PDB file of all heavy atoms in Angstrom:
ATOM      1  N   PHE A  88    -152.211 -52.206  95.269  1.00 98.00           N
ATOM      2  CA  PHE A  88    -152.586 -53.379  96.056  1.00 98.00           C
ATOM      3  C   PHE A  88    -151.894 -53.369  97.415  1.00 98.00           C
ATOM      4  O   PHE A  88    -152.484 -53.748  98.434  1.00 98.00           O
ATOM      5  CB  PHE A  88    -152.218 -54.661  95.296  1.00 98.00           C
ATOM      6  CG  PHE A  88    -152.940 -54.824  93.986  1.00 98.00           C
ATOM      7  CD1 PHE A  88    -152.372 -55.568  92.959  1.00 98.00           C
ATOM      8  CD2 PHE A  88    -154.186 -54.237  93.768  1.00 98.00           C
ATOM      9  CE1 PHE A  88    -153.032 -55.723  91.743  1.00 98.00           C
ATOM     10  CE2 PHE A  88    -154.854 -54.382  92.558  1.00 98.00           C
ATOM     11  CZ  PHE A  88    -154.274 -55.129  91.552  1.00 98.00           C
ATOM     12  N   GLU A  89    -150.643 -52.921  97.442  1.00 97.00           N
ATOM     13  CA  GLU A  89    -149.904 -52.871  98.702  1.00 97.00           C
ATOM     14  C   GLU A  89    -150.473 -51.810  99.648  1.00 97.00           C
ATOM     15  O   GLU A  89    -150.559 -52.022 100.860  1.00 97.00           O
ATOM     16  CB  GLU A  89    -148.427 -52.618  98.411  1.00 97.00           C
ATOM     17  CG  GLU A  89    -147.749 -53.809  97.738  1.00 97.00           C
ATOM     18  CD  GLU A  89    -146.343 -53.512  97.260  1.00 97.00           C
ATOM     19  OE1 GLU A  89    -145.996 -52.308  97.178  1.00 97.00           O
ATOM     20  OE2 GLU A  89    -145.608 -54.460  96.962  1.00 97.00           O
ATOM     21  N   ILE A  90    -150.848 -50.660  99.104  1.00 97.00           N
ATOM     22  CA  ILE A  90    -151.462 -49.616  99.930  1.00 97.00           C
ATOM     23  C   ILE A  90    -152.771 -50.127 100.527  1.00 97.00           C
ATOM     24  O   ILE A  90    -153.060 -49.931 101.708  1.00 97.00           O
ATOM     25  CB  ILE A  90    -151.711 -48.350  99.102  1.00 97.00           C
ATOM     26  CG1 ILE A  90    -150.388 -47.720  98.673  1.00 97.00           C
ATOM     27  CG2 ILE A  90    -152.549 -47.339  99.882  1.00 97.00           C
ATOM     28  CD1 ILE A  90    -150.532 -46.630  97.629  1.00 97.00           C
ATOM     29  N   ALA A  91    -153.581 -50.775  99.691  1.00 98.00           N
ATOM     30  CA  ALA A  91    -154.861 -51.306 100.167  1.00 98.00           C
ATOM     31  C   ALA A  91    -154.655 -52.304 101.290  1.00 98.00           C
ATOM     32  O   ALA A  91    -155.382 -52.295 102.292  1.00 98.00           O
ATOM     33  CB  ALA A  91    -155.611 -51.956  99.002  1.00 98.00           C
ATOM     34  N   ASP A  92    -153.660 -53.174 101.130  1.00 97.00           N
ATOM     35  CA  ASP A  92    -153.386 -54.174 102.159  1.00 97.00           C
ATOM     36  C   ASP A  92    -152.849 -53.525 103.427  1.00 97.00           C
ATOM     37  O   ASP A  92    -153.267 -53.849 104.540  1.00 97.00           O
ATOM     38  CB  ASP A  92    -152.381 -55.186 101.611  1.00 97.00           C
ATOM     39  CG  ASP A  92    -152.105 -56.308 102.585  1.00 97.00           C
ATOM     40  OD1 ASP A  92    -153.040 -57.069 102.892  1.00 97.00           O
ATOM     41  OD2 ASP A  92    -150.956 -56.422 103.052  1.00 97.00           O
ATOM     42  N   ARG A  93    -151.940 -52.593 103.264  1.00 97.00           N
ATOM     43  CA  ARG A  93    -151.326 -51.925 104.411  1.00 97.00           C
ATOM     44  C   ARG A  93    -152.336 -51.136 105.228  1.00 97.00           C
ATOM     45  O   ARG A  93    -152.341 -51.181 106.471  1.00 97.00           O
ATOM     46  CB  ARG A  93    -150.218 -50.985 103.913  1.00 97.00           C
ATOM     47  CG  ARG A  93    -149.459 -50.249 105.025  1.00 97.00           C
ATOM     48  CD  ARG A  93    -148.684 -49.083 104.435  1.00 97.00           C
ATOM     49  NE  ARG A  93    -149.568 -48.059 103.906  1.00 97.00           N
ATOM     50  CZ  ARG A  93    -149.178 -47.104 103.066  1.00 97.00           C
ATOM     51  NH1 ARG A  93    -147.933 -47.072 102.642  1.00 97.00           N
ATOM     52  NH2 ARG A  93    -150.045 -46.200 102.636  1.00 97.00           N
ATOM     53  N   ASP A  94    -153.218 -50.413 104.543  1.00 97.00           N
ATOM     54  CA  ASP A  94    -154.145 -49.516 105.225  1.00 97.00           C
ATOM     55  C   ASP A  94    -155.516 -50.135 105.475  1.00 97.00           C
ATOM     56  O   ASP A  94    -156.378 -49.489 106.073  1.00 97.00           O
ATOM     57  CB  ASP A  94    -154.321 -48.230 104.408  1.00 97.00           C
ATOM     58  CG  ASP A  94    -153.018 -47.444 104.288  1.00 97.00           C
ATOM     59  OD1 ASP A  94    -152.082 -47.741 105.058  1.00 97.00           O
ATOM     60  OD2 ASP A  94    -152.942 -46.547 103.443  1.00 97.00           O
ATOM     61  N   GLY A  95    -155.736 -51.353 104.988  1.00 97.00           N
ATOM     62  CA  GLY A  95    -157.018 -52.010 105.203  1.00 97.00           C
ATOM     63  C   GLY A  95    -158.158 -51.316 104.481  1.00 97.00           C
ATOM     64  O   GLY A  95    -159.249 -51.155 105.037  1.00 97.00           O
ATOM     65  N   ILE A  96    -157.913 -50.905 103.234  1.00 98.00           N
ATOM     66  CA  ILE A  96    -158.911 -50.183 102.463  1.00 98.00           C
ATOM     67  C   ILE A  96    -159.115 -50.877 101.118  1.00 98.00           C
ATOM     68  O   ILE A  96    -158.349 -51.753 100.729  1.00 98.00           O
ATOM     69  CB  ILE A  96    -158.484 -48.721 102.213  1.00 98.00           C
ATOM     70  CG1 ILE A  96    -157.110 -48.669 101.517  1.00 98.00           C
ATOM     71  CG2 ILE A  96    -158.445 -47.941 103.528  1.00 98.00           C
ATOM     72  CD1 ILE A  96    -156.627 -47.269 101.173  1.00 98.00           C
ATOM     73  N   SER A  97    -160.144 -50.469 100.405  1.00 98.00           N
ATOM     74  CA  SER A  97    -160.398 -51.038  99.088  1.00 98.00           C
ATOM     75  C   SER A  97    -159.373 -50.507  98.092  1.00 98.00           C
ATOM     76  O   SER A  97    -158.773 -49.444  98.290  1.00 98.00           O
ATOM     77  CB  SER A  97    -161.810 -50.690  98.625  1.00 98.00           C
ATOM     78  OG  SER A  97    -161.951 -49.282  98.465  1.00 98.00           O
ATOM     79  N   THR A  98    -159.198 -51.237  97.005  1.00 98.00           N
ATOM     80  CA  THR A  98    -158.193 -50.823  96.021  1.00 98.00           C
ATOM     81  C   THR A  98    -158.602 -49.554  95.279  1.00 98.00           C
ATOM     82  O   THR A  98    -157.724 -48.799  94.848  1.00 98.00           O
ATOM     83  CB  THR A  98    -157.942 -51.949  95.010  1.00 98.00           C
ATOM     84  OG1 THR A  98    -159.188 -52.363  94.435  1.00 98.00           O
ATOM     85  CG2 THR A  98    -157.271 -53.146  95.672  1.00 98.00           C
ATOM     86  N   ASN A  99    -159.901 -49.308  95.124  1.00 98.00           N
ATOM     87  CA  ASN A  99    -160.302 -48.065  94.457  1.00 98.00           C
ATOM     88  C   ASN A  99    -159.974 -46.852  95.319  1.00 98.00           C
ATOM     89  O   ASN A  99    -159.578 -45.801  94.808  1.00 98.00           O
ATOM     90  CB  ASN A  99    -161.782 -48.083  94.054  1.00 98.00           C
ATOM     91  CG  ASN A  99    -162.713 -48.389  95.201  1.00 98.00           C
ATOM     92  OD1 ASN A  99    -162.554 -49.429  95.862  1.00 98.00           O
ATOM     93  ND2 ASN A  99    -163.709 -47.545  95.436  1.00 98.00           N
ATOM     94  N   VAL A 100    -160.089 -46.987  96.637  1.00 98.00           N
ATOM     95  CA  VAL A 100    -159.693 -45.900  97.537  1.00 98.00           C
ATOM     96  C   VAL A 100    -158.170 -45.765  97.534  1.00 98.00           C
ATOM     97  O   VAL A 100    -157.629 -44.651  97.522  1.00 98.00           O
ATOM     98  CB  VAL A 100    -160.215 -46.149  98.958  1.00 98.00           C
ATOM     99  CG1 VAL A 100    -159.660 -45.113  99.940  1.00 98.00           C
ATOM    100  CG2 VAL A 100    -161.747 -46.106  98.983  1.00 98.00           C
ATOM    101  N   ALA A 101    -157.472 -46.891  97.516  1.00 98.00           N
ATOM    102  CA  ALA A 101    -156.010 -46.864  97.498  1.00 98.00           C
ATOM    103  C   ALA A 101    -155.488 -46.184  96.238  1.00 98.00           C
ATOM    104  O   ALA A 101    -154.522 -45.419  96.291  1.00 98.00           O
ATOM    105  CB  ALA A 101    -155.460 -48.285  97.596  1.00 98.00           C
ATOM    106  N   SER A 102    -156.130 -46.441  95.104  1.00 98.00           N
ATOM    107  CA  SER A 102    -155.681 -45.815  93.855  1.00 98.00           C
ATOM    108  C   SER A 102    -155.877 -44.310  93.906  1.00 98.00           C
ATOM    109  O   SER A 102    -155.045 -43.552  93.407  1.00 98.00           O
ATOM    110  CB  SER A 102    -156.430 -46.416  92.664  1.00 98.00           C
ATOM    111  OG  SER A 102    -157.816 -46.134  92.723  1.00 98.00           O
ATOM    112  N   GLN A 103    -156.960 -43.873  94.536  1.00 97.00           N
ATOM    113  CA  GLN A 103    -157.207 -42.442  94.669  1.00 97.00           C
ATOM    114  C   GLN A 103    -156.143 -41.804  95.564  1.00 97.00           C
ATOM    115  O   GLN A 103    -155.631 -40.725  95.253  1.00 97.00           O
ATOM    116  CB  GLN A 103    -158.605 -42.214  95.265  1.00 97.00           C
ATOM    117  CG  GLN A 103    -159.029 -40.763  95.321  1.00 97.00           C
ATOM    118  CD  GLN A 103    -159.358 -40.197  93.955  1.00 97.00           C
ATOM    119  OE1 GLN A 103    -159.598 -40.950  93.004  1.00 97.00           O
ATOM    120  NE2 GLN A 103    -159.370 -38.883  93.843  1.00 97.00           N
ATOM    121  N   ARG A 104    -155.797 -42.479  96.643  1.00 96.00           N
ATOM    122  CA  ARG A 104    -154.770 -41.944  97.545  1.00 96.00           C
ATOM    123  C   ARG A 104    -153.421 -41.838  96.838  1.00 96.00           C
ATOM    124  O   ARG A 104    -152.695 -40.844  96.999  1.00 96.00           O
ATOM    125  CB  ARG A 104    -154.639 -42.842  98.778  1.00 96.00           C
ATOM    126  CG  ARG A 104    -155.802 -42.734  99.733  1.00 96.00           C
ATOM    127  CD  ARG A 104    -155.515 -43.483 101.022  1.00 96.00           C
ATOM    128  NE  ARG A 104    -156.664 -43.430 101.920  1.00 96.00           N
ATOM    129  CZ  ARG A 104    -156.699 -44.010 103.116  1.00 96.00           C
ATOM    130  NH1 ARG A 104    -155.652 -44.690 103.548  1.00 96.00           N
ATOM    131  NH2 ARG A 104    -157.783 -43.928 103.867  1.00 96.00           N
ATOM    132  N   LEU A 105    -153.082 -42.870  96.060  1.00 96.00           N
ATOM    133  CA  LEU A 105    -151.812 -42.838  95.352  1.00 96.00           C
ATOM    134  C   LEU A 105    -151.791 -41.700  94.339  1.00 96.00           C
ATOM    135  O   LEU A 105    -150.791 -40.984  94.217  1.00 96.00           O
ATOM    136  CB  LEU A 105    -151.570 -44.178  94.647  1.00 96.00           C
ATOM    137  CG  LEU A 105    -150.274 -44.295  93.844  1.00 96.00           C
ATOM    138  CD1 LEU A 105    -149.055 -44.078  94.741  1.00 96.00           C
ATOM    139  CD2 LEU A 105    -150.189 -45.654  93.162  1.00 96.00           C
ATOM    140  N   ALA A 106    -152.888 -41.525  93.618  1.00 96.00           N
ATOM    141  CA  ALA A 106    -152.959 -40.444  92.627  1.00 96.00           C
ATOM    142  C   ALA A 106    -152.828 -39.086  93.295  1.00 96.00           C
ATOM    143  O   ALA A 106    -152.096 -38.205  92.824  1.00 96.00           O
ATOM    144  CB  ALA A 106    -154.275 -40.535  91.861  1.00 96.00           C
ATOM    145  N   GLU A 107    -153.531 -38.894  94.418  1.00 96.00           N
ATOM    146  CA  GLU A 107    -153.475 -37.620  95.128  1.00 96.00           C
ATOM    147  C   GLU A 107    -152.079 -37.353  95.667  1.00 96.00           C
ATOM    148  O   GLU A 107    -151.590 -36.221  95.638  1.00 96.00           O
ATOM    149  CB  GLU A 107    -154.507 -37.609  96.256  1.00 96.00           C
ATOM    150  CG  GLU A 107    -155.946 -37.571  95.750  1.00 96.00           C
ATOM    151  CD  GLU A 107    -156.971 -37.760  96.862  1.00 96.00           C
ATOM    152  OE1 GLU A 107    -156.551 -38.101  97.998  1.00 96.00           O
ATOM    153  OE2 GLU A 107    -158.175 -37.581  96.595  1.00 96.00           O
ATOM    154  N   GLN A 108    -151.410 -38.413  96.160  1.00 95.00           N
ATOM    155  CA  GLN A 108    -150.059 -38.249  96.682  1.00 95.00           C
ATOM    156  C   GLN A 108    -149.091 -37.856  95.576  1.00 95.00           C
ATOM    157  O   GLN A 108    -148.245 -36.978  95.753  1.00 95.00           O
ATOM    158  CB  GLN A 108    -149.591 -39.549  97.347  1.00 95.00           C
ATOM    159  CG  GLN A 108    -148.192 -39.472  97.943  1.00 95.00           C
ATOM    160  CD  GLN A 108    -148.103 -38.427  99.044  1.00 95.00           C
ATOM    161  OE1 GLN A 108    -148.858 -38.475 100.010  1.00 95.00           O
ATOM    162  NE2 GLN A 108    -147.183 -37.475  98.894  1.00 95.00           N
ATOM    163  N   ARG A 109    -149.235 -38.484  94.428  1.00 94.00           N
ATOM    164  CA  ARG A 109    -148.321 -38.169  93.325  1.00 94.00           C
ATOM    165  C   ARG A 109    -148.564 -36.763  92.780  1.00 94.00           C
ATOM    166  O   ARG A 109    -147.620 -36.070  92.398  1.00 94.00           O
ATOM    167  CB  ARG A 109    -148.463 -39.216  92.223  1.00 94.00           C
ATOM    168  CG  ARG A 109    -147.850 -40.556  92.640  1.00 94.00           C
ATOM    169  CD  ARG A 109    -147.879 -41.576  91.546  1.00 94.00           C
ATOM    170  NE  ARG A 109    -147.135 -42.761  91.939  1.00 94.00           N
ATOM    171  CZ  ARG A 109    -147.049 -43.866  91.206  1.00 94.00           C
ATOM    172  NH1 ARG A 109    -147.672 -43.932  90.037  1.00 94.00           N
ATOM    173  NH2 ARG A 109    -146.359 -44.896  91.637  1.00 94.00           N
ATOM    174  N   LEU A 110    -149.809 -36.336  92.769  1.00 95.00           N
ATOM    175  CA  LEU A 110    -150.096 -34.966  92.354  1.00 95.00           C
ATOM    176  C   LEU A 110    -149.494 -33.971  93.335  1.00 95.00           C
ATOM    177  O   LEU A 110    -148.920 -32.954  92.936  1.00 95.00           O
ATOM    178  CB  LEU A 110    -151.606 -34.750  92.238  1.00 95.00           C
ATOM    179  CG  LEU A 110    -152.293 -35.412  91.040  1.00 95.00           C
ATOM    180  CD1 LEU A 110    -153.812 -35.302  91.170  1.00 95.00           C
ATOM    181  CD2 LEU A 110    -151.819 -34.790  89.735  1.00 95.00           C
ATOM    182  N   ALA A 111    -149.624 -34.288  94.628  1.00 94.00           N
ATOM    183  CA  ALA A 111    -149.060 -33.409  95.651  1.00 94.00           C
ATOM    184  C   ALA A 111    -147.539 -33.349  95.528  1.00 94.00           C
ATOM    185  O   ALA A 111    -146.928 -32.281  95.630  1.00 94.00           O
ATOM    186  CB  ALA A 111    -149.471 -33.888  97.040  1.00 94.00           C
ATOM    187  N   ASP A 112    -146.922 -34.507  95.303  1.00 93.00           N
ATOM    188  CA  ASP A 112    -145.464 -34.553  95.159  1.00 93.00           C
ATOM    189  C   ASP A 112    -145.007 -33.757  93.941  1.00 93.00           C
ATOM    190  O   ASP A 112    -143.971 -33.090  93.964  1.00 93.00           O
ATOM    191  CB  ASP A 112    -144.989 -36.001  95.023  1.00 93.00           C
ATOM    192  CG  ASP A 112    -145.118 -36.788  96.324  1.00 93.00           C
ATOM    193  OD1 ASP A 112    -145.334 -36.145  97.376  1.00 93.00           O
ATOM    194  OD2 ASP A 112    -145.003 -38.020  96.279  1.00 93.00           O
ATOM    195  N   ALA A 113    -145.784 -33.848  92.867  1.00 93.00           N
ATOM    196  CA  ALA A 113    -145.411 -33.152  91.635  1.00 93.00           C
ATOM    197  C   ALA A 113    -145.454 -31.645  91.797  1.00 93.00           C
ATOM    198  O   ALA A 113    -144.761 -30.914  91.082  1.00 93.00           O
ATOM    199  CB  ALA A 113    -146.335 -33.581  90.499  1.00 93.00           C
ATOM    200  N   ARG A 114    -146.275 -31.182  92.742  1.00 94.00           N
ATOM    201  CA  ARG A 114    -146.381 -29.741  92.969  1.00 94.00           C
ATOM    202  C   ARG A 114    -145.239 -29.212  93.833  1.00 94.00           C
ATOM    203  O   ARG A 114    -145.051 -28.007  93.937  1.00 94.00           O
ATOM    204  CB  ARG A 114    -147.720 -29.407  93.630  1.00 94.00           C
ATOM    205  CG  ARG A 114    -148.935 -29.732  92.753  1.00 94.00           C
ATOM    206  CD  ARG A 114    -150.217 -29.238  93.396  1.00 94.00           C
ATOM    207  NE  ARG A 114    -151.383 -29.609  92.616  1.00 94.00           N
ATOM    208  CZ  ARG A 114    -152.228 -30.596  92.939  1.00 94.00           C
ATOM    209  NH1 ARG A 114    -152.021 -31.285  94.053  1.00 94.00           N
ATOM    210  NH2 ARG A 114    -153.256 -30.872  92.178  1.00 94.00           N
ATOM    211  N   GLN A 115    -144.504 -30.129  94.474  1.00 90.00           N
ATOM    212  CA  GLN A 115    -143.420 -29.714  95.345  1.00 90.00           C
ATOM    213  C   GLN A 115    -142.133 -29.537  94.535  1.00 90.00           C
ATOM    214  O   GLN A 115    -141.821 -30.347  93.661  1.00 90.00           O
ATOM    215  CB  GLN A 115    -143.184 -30.763  96.444  1.00 90.00           C
ATOM    216  CG  GLN A 115    -144.379 -30.984  97.347  1.00 90.00           C
ATOM    217  CD  GLN A 115    -144.772 -29.723  98.090  1.00 90.00           C
ATOM    218  OE1 GLN A 115    -143.893 -28.984  98.562  1.00 90.00           O
ATOM    219  NE2 GLN A 115    -146.066 -29.482  98.201  1.00 90.00           N
ATOM    220  N   PRO A 116    -141.359 -28.486  94.828  1.00 81.00           N
ATOM    221  CA  PRO A 116    -140.093 -28.258  94.110  1.00 81.00           C
ATOM    222  C   PRO A 116    -139.010 -29.189  94.626  1.00 81.00           C
ATOM    223  O   PRO A 116    -138.066 -28.786  95.286  1.00 81.00           O
ATOM    224  CB  PRO A 116    -139.780 -26.791  94.438  1.00 81.00           C
ATOM    225  CG  PRO A 116    -140.403 -26.583  95.789  1.00 81.00           C
ATOM    226  CD  PRO A 116    -141.654 -27.422  95.803  1.00 81.00           C
ATOM    227  N   SER A 117    -139.176 -30.477  94.359  1.00 61.00           N
ATOM    228  CA  SER A 117    -138.229 -31.476  94.856  1.00 61.00           C
ATOM    229  C   SER A 117    -137.609 -32.221  93.690  1.00 61.00           C
ATOM    230  O   SER A 117    -138.220 -32.424  92.657  1.00 61.00           O
ATOM    231  CB  SER A 117    -138.953 -32.467  95.772  1.00 61.00           C
ATOM    232  OG  SER A 117    -138.121 -33.553  96.094  1.00 61.00           O
ATOM    233  N   ARG A 118    -136.379 -32.688  93.886  1.00 56.00           N
ATOM    234  CA  ARG A 118    -135.694 -33.462  92.860  1.00 56.00           C
ATOM    235  C   ARG A 118    -135.875 -34.968  93.067  1.00 56.00           C
ATOM    236  O   ARG A 118    -135.342 -35.765  92.309  1.00 56.00           O
ATOM    237  CB  ARG A 118    -134.195 -33.137  92.869  1.00 56.00           C
ATOM    238  CG  ARG A 118    -133.887 -31.689  92.512  1.00 56.00           C
ATOM    239  CD  ARG A 118    -132.400 -31.466  92.509  1.00 56.00           C
ATOM    240  NE  ARG A 118    -132.048 -30.089  92.176  1.00 56.00           N
ATOM    241  CZ  ARG A 118    -130.804 -29.639  92.117  1.00 56.00           C
ATOM    242  NH1 ARG A 118    -129.796 -30.460  92.385  1.00 56.00           N
ATOM    243  NH2 ARG A 118    -130.562 -28.376  91.808  1.00 56.00           N
ATOM    244  N   GLU A 119    -136.585 -35.333  94.115  1.00 53.00           N
ATOM    245  CA  GLU A 119    -136.656 -36.747  94.466  1.00 53.00           C
ATOM    246  C   GLU A 119    -137.680 -37.503  93.646  1.00 53.00           C
ATOM    247  O   GLU A 119    -137.703 -38.725  93.642  1.00 53.00           O
ATOM    248  CB  GLU A 119    -136.982 -36.891  95.952  1.00 53.00           C
ATOM    249  CG  GLU A 119    -135.888 -36.312  96.833  1.00 53.00           C
ATOM    250  CD  GLU A 119    -136.231 -36.418  98.296  1.00 53.00           C
ATOM    251  OE1 GLU A 119    -137.343 -36.908  98.597  1.00 53.00           O
ATOM    252  OE2 GLU A 119    -135.409 -36.036  99.125  1.00 53.00           O
ATOM    253  N   GLY A 120    -138.610 -36.809  92.964  1.00 50.00           N
ATOM    254  CA  GLY A 120    -139.604 -37.503  92.149  1.00 50.00           C
ATOM    255  C   GLY A 120    -140.788 -37.928  92.980  1.00 50.00           C
ATOM    256  O   GLY A 120    -140.803 -37.813  94.210  1.00 50.00           O
ATOM    257  N   PRO A 121    -141.821 -38.468  92.319  1.00 48.00           N
ATOM    258  CA  PRO A 121    -143.048 -38.844  92.999  1.00 48.00           C
ATOM    259  C   PRO A 121    -142.860 -40.004  93.958  1.00 48.00           C
ATOM    260  O   PRO A 121    -142.019 -40.873  93.759  1.00 48.00           O
ATOM    261  CB  PRO A 121    -143.993 -39.242  91.851  1.00 48.00           C
ATOM    262  CG  PRO A 121    -143.078 -39.595  90.732  1.00 48.00           C
ATOM    263  CD  PRO A 121    -141.894 -38.707  90.886  1.00 48.00           C
ATOM    264  N   SER A 122    -143.647 -39.976  95.019  1.00 47.00           N
ATOM    265  CA  SER A 122    -143.577 -41.030  96.029  1.00 47.00           C
ATOM    266  C   SER A 122    -144.199 -42.312  95.531  1.00 47.00           C
ATOM    267  O   SER A 122    -145.168 -42.317  94.806  1.00 47.00           O
ATOM    268  CB  SER A 122    -144.330 -40.564  97.280  1.00 47.00           C
ATOM    269  OG  SER A 122    -144.507 -41.630  98.175  1.00 47.00           O
ATOM    270  N   SER A 123    -143.625 -43.434  95.956  1.00 45.00           N
ATOM    271  CA  SER A 123    -144.224 -44.724  95.616  1.00 45.00           C
ATOM    272  C   SER A 123    -145.369 -45.049  96.563  1.00 45.00           C
ATOM    273  O   SER A 123    -146.121 -45.991  96.343  1.00 45.00           O
ATOM    274  CB  SER A 123    -143.162 -45.827  95.697  1.00 45.00           C
ATOM    275  OG  SER A 123    -142.634 -45.895  97.007  1.00 45.00           O
ATOM    276  N   ALA A 124    -145.504 -44.291  97.635  1.00 44.00           N
ATOM    277  CA  ALA A 124    -146.643 -44.383  98.554  1.00 44.00           C
ATOM    278  C   ALA A 124    -146.971 -45.809  98.941  1.00 44.00           C
ATOM    279  O   ALA A 124    -148.064 -46.305  98.749  1.00 44.00           O
ATOM    280  CB  ALA A 124    -147.864 -43.710  97.938  1.00 44.00           C
ATOM    281  N   GLY A 125    -145.997 -46.494  99.531  1.00 43.00           N
ATOM    282  CA  GLY A 125    -146.313 -47.812 100.057  1.00 43.00           C
ATOM    283  C   GLY A 125    -145.887 -48.959  99.171  1.00 43.00           C
ATOM    284  O   GLY A 125    -146.348 -50.071  99.352  1.00 43.00           O
ATOM    285  N   SER A 126    -145.009 -48.712  98.207  1.00 40.00           N
ATOM    286  CA  SER A 126    -144.678 -49.767  97.255  1.00 40.00           C
ATOM    287  C   SER A 126    -143.770 -50.838  97.842  1.00 40.00           C
ATOM    288  O   SER A 126    -143.443 -51.805  97.168  1.00 40.00           O
ATOM    289  CB  SER A 126    -144.007 -49.163  96.025  1.00 40.00           C
ATOM    290  OG  SER A 126    -142.818 -48.496  96.385  1.00 40.00           O
ATOM    291  N   THR A 127    -143.345 -50.693  99.118  1.00 36.00           N
ATOM    292  CA  THR A 127    -142.487 -51.711  99.702  1.00 36.00           C
ATOM    293  C   THR A 127    -143.227 -52.593 100.695  1.00 36.00           C
ATOM    294  O   THR A 127    -142.637 -53.475 101.285  1.00 36.00           O
ATOM    295  CB  THR A 127    -141.299 -51.049 100.422  1.00 36.00           C
ATOM    296  OG1 THR A 127    -141.784 -50.170 101.450  1.00 36.00           O
ATOM    297  CG2 THR A 127    -140.457 -50.246  99.452  1.00 36.00           C
ATOM    298  N   THR A 128    -144.513 -52.370 100.897  1.00 35.00           N
ATOM    299  CA  THR A 128    -145.249 -53.207 101.829  1.00 35.00           C
ATOM    300  C   THR A 128    -145.526 -54.564 101.211  1.00 35.00           C
ATOM    301  O   THR A 128    -145.394 -54.771 100.015  1.00 35.00           O
ATOM    302  CB  THR A 128    -146.583 -52.547 102.222  1.00 35.00           C
ATOM    303  OG1 THR A 128    -147.286 -52.201 101.038  1.00 35.00           O
ATOM    304  CG2 THR A 128    -146.355 -51.314 103.047  1.00 35.00           C
TER     305      THR A 128
END
């Protein structure tokens, strides 16, 4: 909901963006874990 509000997009598009971001993060050799992608807006 926060991504949708921040970017001015529908929630179904926002959910797709969040899923894609988390998949991308999971493929990276990082210890920081998946991104919240806008969870503080």
